[in-house]
Amino acid sequence: MNPVLEPLFRTVRATHPKADLRLIERAYDVAAYHHRDQKRKSGDPYITHPLAVATILAELGTDDETLCAALLHDTVEDTAYGLDELRGDFGDTIGSLVDGVTKLDKVKFGDAAQAETVRKMVVAMSRDIRVLIIKLADRLHNMRTMRYLPEHKRHQKSRETLEIFAPLAHRLGMNTIKWELEDLAFAMLYPKRYDEIARMVSERAPRRDLFLQEVIEKVSGDLREAKIRAVVKGRPKHYYSVYQKMIARDVAFDDIYDLVGIRVLVDSVRDCYAALGTIHARWNPVPGRFKDYIAMPKFNMYQSLHTTVIGPEGKPVELQIRTHAMHHRAEYGVAAHWKYKEEVGTPGPTGKVKPGSDMAWLRQLLDWQKETSDPGEFLESLRFDLSVSEVYVFTPKGQVIALPEGATPVDFAYAVHTEVGHRCIGARVNGRLVPLESRLGNGDTVEIFTSKSPDAGPSRDWLKFVKSGRARNKIRQWFSKERRETAIEAGKEAIGRAMRKQGLPLQRLMSGEALLALARDLRYPDVSALYAAVGEGHIAAQAVVQKLVASIGGVESAEEDIAETALPTRLRGRPRGGGAGVVVAGDADVWVRLSKCCTPVPGDEIVGFVTRGHGVSVHRADCTNVQQLKEQPDRLVEVSWSPGDDSVFLVAIQVEALDRPRLLSDVTRTLSDQHVNILSASVTTSRDRVAISKFTFEMGDPKHLGHVLKAVRSIQGVFDVYRVSGAGG
């Protein structure tokens, strides 16, 4: 036997004792022969990749046909070995698996091509799910060795992994692969955020581990007394899932990380419920946090009891209770069920899988694919649908419809039929009339009322609350571009008419800022959406005008405001050259000012520009405005640094951090501890819980900036801080 295969065979013997090792060795020999002259980007022989993919699959316990296909998966595409030859050597099953993986590999870069690839993947996987399992293992090994690729490729592959492959692994219940893919992609895409979370985790680890140990000992002791055989252990925390929870639950790191997770593994379903009773006898459960996924398994065959209790010191403890078989399935998903044709199905209440039932999700994807012609749109739907869990509701005739969690009657209407969605005007849930934006729960019976009017159509407001990709796509298609533009024009005219009626100054009141502020107050994303809402009759033009006037402080105030802005502003006293710390070559007594567009400080390369009536403005040599100034070379002058004791310089910095309570106060306190005078600060927080703060401050000695940046970087949650070239960023 080839010694290179010994580690693989050792794993195969442990997970799949009946596997045909001779067949696997033959597949390896064929692959090694055909890849003999090829190298990977790392410089390793190419065969190391198929061998690593096969080893990952062997650890999951897959069958020998899958392992052979994994070893051969790149031969047809990358070598002279043809598919017909492969079918002749290894049979139709292995041939079609390799063919399926090869089709998935033909990725042309760019969004549309990527979406097409996902489509092919869906089709391939509906024929034989093992194709997708091989593809996931292939992607996992590629992610582990991604550092040898150029940066743009790394980012593209990592984004694809987070948006498509990790969620697919989750759908197939393969959590071990999902977690590793997520963490690898997260570290590649956002290395600074990843490192900051890793740092915060390691700082708290010792204290948390002691608490975890105490909980494990108490739970183990109680179960021993109750004569329940169990393995109790802590649940590993994955950095990406910590970050995702921070975003999804909108809470700070400490609130997530302090939540201790425990897993209890027992022998039988009866023991699961007995263990639950024992734990609830010691600690009070948190209401609303108990979930029984044993009686009602998740879509990906996952089974477990989940409960959260108030543990020692009043801290919450999350527990998962499951049998060893359920645990194996939760870790490896579909791959754990290797007599796959008979067994892939829905687990029943006993934990056994009913043969013959198919994974409905695959069928649903195929339906979508027929419906959605635009590949980009299909990809959006897929990404959206992969990222949410589900609720199951009934039609009045008792048919079950699966919808994303948080779905509304409008989502249900579109799931029944597009026309039902477009004409939906009301809904009855469990016999009671409900608003269209109300959330549906598991087991609800939903009845939809439709309009008979030929002009009936969806409302733009529905886009704010629908949850399913299908409903969102159908509503967007309805509101075509022309329709929106007509509504915007009509809205603009209506507001203008209402203003002229009251004799109000149009120019001033319809300025971008005033309208944008009002649009935000009324919960519209931008001014166009506000105009469209007026044009479609969702809000009266008169109401918009009244709110505009009120926001400026009434009619009189609006008129005063206009008069005030028309007055010329007084110029402040101009600093002489010495105050700015810069001298102009040949004339030390010229007015000099440091420009705010690039905030130069001593040490920066600088140029001077003679302005009209404002002396000489000094810019950094790399300032974006310098290019334009060079078009008038006769007005450029030579300047040099000559800072005095009274010189003060403006510095602008940007701080990027994982958002949390008191973050801003911690940063400002640190800056004032460094004795800098803050002149302005702005903070924005994105949806992915990243707070970006910009500070402009004065400092006398620019050498001090390094200490300031270091002090800010040490604040908890801050993962990047640097000087920016402009006061406004």
Side-chain angles (χ1 to χ4, degrees):
M1 188 188 77
N2 190 330
V4 174
L5 291 175
E6 183 45 47
L8 173 66
F9 282 179
R10 205 177 311 123
T11 310
V12 173
R13 285 190 199 101
T15 56
H16 200 79
K18 292 180 184 165
D20 183 347
L21 298 183
R22 273 201 304 262
L23 181 68
I24 297 171
E25 186 168 9
R26 190 154 60 86
Y28 172 80
D29 291 341
V30 169
Y33 174 74
H34 287 286
H35 288 303
R36 65 192 179 281
D37 299 326
Q38 295 173 333
K39 292 264 190 288
R40 300 200 81 211
K41 286 270 194 297
S42 60
D44 294 335
Y46 194 88
I47 190 64
T48 56
H49 169 65
L51 185 59
V53 173
T55 308
I56 292 169
L57 291 167
E59 285 160 5
L60 295 175
T62 53
D63 60 357
D64 38 20
E65 288 175 337
T66 312
L67 296 176
C68 290
L71 287 165
L72 296 162
H73 78 272
D74 280 332
T75 50
V76 171
E77 192 177 357
D78 295 345
T79 73
Y81 190 53
L83 188 62
D84 293 339
E85 203 181 337
L86 189 145
R87 284 186 196 277
D89 289 348
F90 292 96
D92 277 350
T93 309
I94 293 174
S96 60
L97 288 177
V98 172
D99 185 34
V101 178
T102 306
K103 281 181 181 146
L104 297 190
D105 278 338
K106 289 182 179 156
V107 181
K108 301 224 173 18
F109 297 115
D111 271 354
Q114 182 194 37
E116 285 295 350
T117 308
V118 175
R119 274 182 187 208
K120 285 180 190 156
M121 175 191 301
V122 169
V123 176
M125 113 199 202
S126 60
R127 291 200 194 111
D128 191 330
I129 224 159
R130 291 177 291 182
V131 169
L132 188 69
I133 309 263
I134 297 168
K135 185 65 196 161
L136 286 171
D138 174 56
R139 175 52 63 110
L140 178 58
H141 183 248
N142 281 336
M143 288 301 294
R144 286 174 181 173
T145 55
M146 189 70 81
R147 61 186 176 279
Y148 299 105
L149 287 181
E151 188 177 5
H152 72 280
K153 284 262 183 72
R154 292 205 302 263
H155 278 200
Q156 184 196 358
K157 296 275 185 202
S158 300
R159 196 164 295 286
E160 212 175 82
T161 300
L162 276 186
E163 290 179 344
I164 291 163
F165 290 99
L168 282 172
H170 173 61
R171 281 271 155 164
L172 301 176
M174 299 166 70
N175 284 326
T176 44
I177 285 193
K178 170 197 167 218
W179 285 322
E180 192 178 344
L181 282 175
E182 283 179 343
D183 276 356
L184 289 167
F186 181 39
M188 200 73 71
L189 275 176
Y190 304 108
K192 289 175 177 170
R193 297 181 202 182
Y194 180 89
D195 291 345
E196 185 58 28
I197 288 181
R199 184 174 76 97
M200 295 196 291
V201 166
S202 64
E203 276 175 5
R204 289 161 181 70
R207 193 180 69 231
R208 192 172 173 277
D209 290 350
L210 284 173
F211 180 75
L212 194 65
Q213 210 41 54
E214 181 190 347
V215 175
I216 289 174
E217 281 166 14
K218 287 184 174 165
V219 171
S220 303
D222 288 352
L223 293 174
R224 262 198 312 277
E225 274 178 37
K227 307 236 176 344
I228 300 168
R229 275 207 330 203
V231 177
V232 183
K233 53 189 176 185
R235 221 164 68 233
K237 286 276 183 191
H238 300 277
Y239 297 153
Y240 185 69
S241 65
V242 168
Y243 181 53
Q244 282 297 88
K245 282 182 182 166
M246 284 167 67
I247 296 170
R249 296 190 195 166
D250 200 25
V251 292
F253 171 82
D254 282 347
D255 297 342
I256 298 267
Y257 192 70
D258 285 349
L259 203 60
V260 167
I262 298 282
R263 189 170 285 145
V264 180
L265 303 180
V266 293
D267 293 339
S268 68
V269 173
R270 180 174 292 173
D271 285 350
C272 290
Y273 292 101
L276 178 76
T278 309
I279 290 160
H280 282 183
R282 173 182 278 277
W283 290 308
N284 288 334
V286 176
R289 292 298 299 274
F290 170 67
K291 299 231 169 37
D292 186 343
Y293 293 120
I294 292 180
M296 302 267 289
K298 281 192 185 182
F299 59 82
N300 59 6
M301 310 188 295
Y302 175 89
Q303 288 185 289
S304 229
L305 295 177
H306 287 196
T307 185
T308 303
V309 297
I310 303 297
E313 303 167 32
K315 286 186 183 171
V317 178
E318 277 183 348
L319 292 113
Q320 293 176 345
I321 305 164
R322 53 174 83 143
T323 65
H324 293 280
M326 287 171 196
H327 178 60
H328 191 66
R329 195 164 52 232
E331 296 293 290
Y332 305 119
V334 174
H337 268 268
W338 261 140
K339 292 191 195 83
Y340 111 100
K341 281 191 173 117
E342 309 87 69
E343 290 193 4
V344 170
T346 317
T350 56
K352 287 186 180 141
V353 174
K354 289 178 275 196
S357 55
D358 191 4
M359 289 186 96
W361 180 68
L362 299 181
R363 286 205 308 273
Q364 186 188 333
L365 276 184
L366 287 170
D367 291 346
W368 269 358
Q369 198 181 313
K370 289 185 199 106
E371 272 178 31
T372 311
S373 56
D374 170 28
E377 199 177 286
F378 171 79
L379 187 66
E380 274 309 306
S381 310
L382 180 65
R383 282 176 188 159
F384 190 84
D385 200 73
L386 290 178
S387 61
V388 289
S389 39
E390 293 172 324
V391 290
Y392 298 91
V393 293
F394 297 98
T395 65
K397 289 184 178 168
Q399 185 191 346
V400 177
I401 288 187
L403 294 169
E405 197 171 18
T408 62
V410 175
D411 294 291
F412 174 85
Y414 278 104
V416 172
H417 195 278
T418 305
E419 256 338 275
V420 176
H422 286 342
R423 296 177 170 279
C424 168
I425 50 169
R428 195 183 270 153
V429 174
N430 302 331
R432 288 172 50 217
L433 288 169
V434 297
L436 286 178
E437 63 263 39
S438 50
R439 292 174 63 141
L440 299 175
N442 272 321
D444 284 348
T445 300
V446 188
E447 191 182 339
I448 298 294
F449 303 118
T450 53
S451 164
K452 299 281 185 288
S453 157
D455 299 328
S459 157
R460 195 177 291 284
D461 288 341
W462 293 359
L463 285 170
K464 292 179 192 164
F465 57 72
V466 292
K467 284 286 184 281
S468 63
R470 180 186 169 122
R472 197 173 294 274
N473 287 339
K474 296 296 179 191
I475 297 167
R476 279 194 188 133
Q477 282 166 12
W478 171 271
F479 288 107
S480 63
K481 201 167 169 225
E482 295 77 16
R483 209 178 264 242
R484 177 177 170 80
E485 281 170 4
T486 314
I488 289 171
E489 280 309 308
K492 211 180 221 172
E493 273 176 37
I495 293 174
R497 272 200 309 276
M499 283 188 180
R500 281 194 290 274
K501 238 185 218 170
Q502 292 187 35
L504 289 167
L506 242 74
Q507 216 60 35
R508 166 73 182 140
L509 283 175
M510 287 187 82
S511 76
E513 283 174 24
L515 269 173
L516 183 61
L518 178 64
R520 292 267 160 80
D521 286 349
L522 295 171
R523 302 276 165 83
Y524 292 109
D526 53 29
V527 177
S528 303
L530 176 64
Y531 286 150
V534 174
E536 285 164 4
H538 296 312
I539 181 169
Q542 188 54 44
V544 172
V545 173
Q546 279 169 354
K547 285 190 164 67
L548 261 179
V549 172
S551 71
I552 294 176
V555 178
E556 296 82 1
S557 171
E559 282 161 5
E560 269 170 42
D561 207 6
I562 293 150
E564 204 173 284
T565 52
L567 290 173
T569 52
R570 283 199 309 266
L571 285 171
R572 293 183 188 168
R574 297 167 185 165
R576 291 266 161 194
V582 174
V583 288
V584 178
D587 191 349
D589 201 32
V590 175
W591 283 319
V592 175
R593 62 190 184 88
L594 301 176
S595 67
K596 286 190 179 172
C597 59
C598 56
T599 57
V601 298
D604 292 341
E605 222 177 297
I606 49 175
V607 293
F609 182 76
V610 180
T611 63
R612 292 194 174 91
H614 293 279
V616 172
S617 71
V618 177
H619 295 259
R620 276 166 52 169
D622 60 356
C623 173
T624 47
N625 294 327
V626 165
Q627 277 312 104
Q628 289 170 308
L629 304 181
K630 281 182 179 167
E631 290 166 16
Q632 304 174 54
D634 52 320
R635 294 172 64 184
L636 290 174
V637 292
E638 210 177 298
V639 285
S640 57
W641 290 109
S642 170
D645 293 341
D646 60 340
S647 301
V648 172
F649 305 97
L650 277 187
V651 178
I653 66 167
Q654 179 154 314
V655 180
E656 296 176 8
L658 298 170
D659 193 25
R660 62 176 174 84
R662 303 190 54 76
L663 175 69
L664 184 61
S665 71
D666 285 355
V667 177
T668 46
R669 192 179 66 242
T670 303
L671 286 173
S672 55
D673 287 350
Q674 294 295 314
H675 309 294
V676 298
N677 179 24
I678 299 172
L679 298 179
S680 69
S682 70
V683 183
T684 53
T685 307
S686 59
R687 265 178 46 205
D688 53 0
R689 282 198 74 82
V690 170
I692 295 179
S693 326
K694 289 176 183 163
F695 296 93
T696 308
F697 49 79
E698 291 177 336
M699 55 194 314
D701 179 6
K703 294 194 196 86
H704 182 43
L705 183 61
H707 298 294
V708 174
L709 296 180
K710 195 174 174 190
V712 174
R713 175 66 189 82
S714 65
I715 297 169
Q716 182 200 311
V718 173
F719 58 81
D720 208 359
V721 55
Y722 48 87
R723 182 181 163 205
V724 288
S725 58

